[in-house]
Amino acid sequence: MSQKDIALAMVVLKHLMDVASKSQTSLRQHASDELDVSDRVSAKSPVDGTLLGTITKSKPKPKVVVSNRFALIVWLEDNYPDRVVVTKTVNPANLAELVPQLEALGLGDYVDTEYEVSSYTLAEITKLSEKAGRPVGPGGELDIPGVRVDFPDGTVSVRLEPDVHHAIVDVIKSGHVALDGTVRPELPGGGE
């Protein structure tokens, strides 16, 4: 399939998907308004009566949302105190003062030390490495460990020109592009 065939098929399918999505949303709302719970309606071909599908309206499931967390906690503490999980943490603003005190008391084992790259340094390494196309450190060091530069495939996007509905319908009617996106090069003007 040529690039032009691919572009033609993708543009046609994008339009069909946009139109179908809007129609489906509207029809789903209309069906919800019209049908009762547990209704089932068959759809048959007006041409030969072949069953095409059915629509049904199921019984909706309840959705639980906590609208006032504080009120729920107070009630649980009064009625089911064993159902409330209490987690005590150290305010991060006090950590710098607390850690040396724990270490001075010989409780340094209760202190975990984690190392992170500062966001500024990470941004600098990212910028330098993207520009060079290979890992680069803050001082210009090449191929630093722990950093990789990948080259992903580009992103393909589809954009429709304004007012193309009738043109796309004509393409589909002509048979050049099937609803599944298949391009038929054997037709005049269909492939290269």
Side-chain angles (χ1 to χ4, degrees), residues 115-173:
Y115 297 91
E116 287 188 62
V117 177
S118 72
S119 57
Y120 171 78
T121 302
L122 187 56
E124 184 179 20
I125 289 172
T126 300
K127 183 178 179 181
L128 291 170
S129 298
E130 284 175 348
K131 185 176 181 181
R134 61 195 279 192
V136 178
E141 305 87 351
L142 297 176
D143 301 321
I144 61 173
V147 177
R148 185 178 78 218
V149 178
D150 290 336
F151 298 91
D153 293 333
T155 302
V156 176
S157 61
V158 177
R159 183 178 146 289
L160 296 174
E161 291 295 325
D163 303 315
V164 296
H165 176 77
H166 295 295
I168 289 177
V169 169
D170 290 343
V171 169
I172 294 167
K173 284 181 178 178

Side-chain angles (χ1 to χ4, degrees), residues 58-118:
S58 63
K59 184 176 181 179
K61 295 179 182 177
K63 180 178 179 183
V64 178
V65 176
V66 176
S67 59
N68 185 334
R69 183 177 164 265
F70 179 74
L72 177 61
I73 291 171
V74 168
W75 182 85
L76 285 171
E77 284 181 332
D78 289 343
N79 295 281
Y80 300 94
D82 60 321
R83 305 278 179 110
V84 178
V85 177
V86 179
T87 305
K88 296 189 178 206
T89 60
V90 175
N91 184 326
N94 299 329
L95 280 178
E97 183 180 324
L98 184 60
V99 169
Q101 291 177 17
L102 287 172
E103 289 173 341
L105 293 171
L107 300 172
D109 291 343
Y110 291 100
V111 178
D112 289 335
T113 304
E114 294 184 24
Y115 297 91
E116 287 188 62
V117 177
S118 72

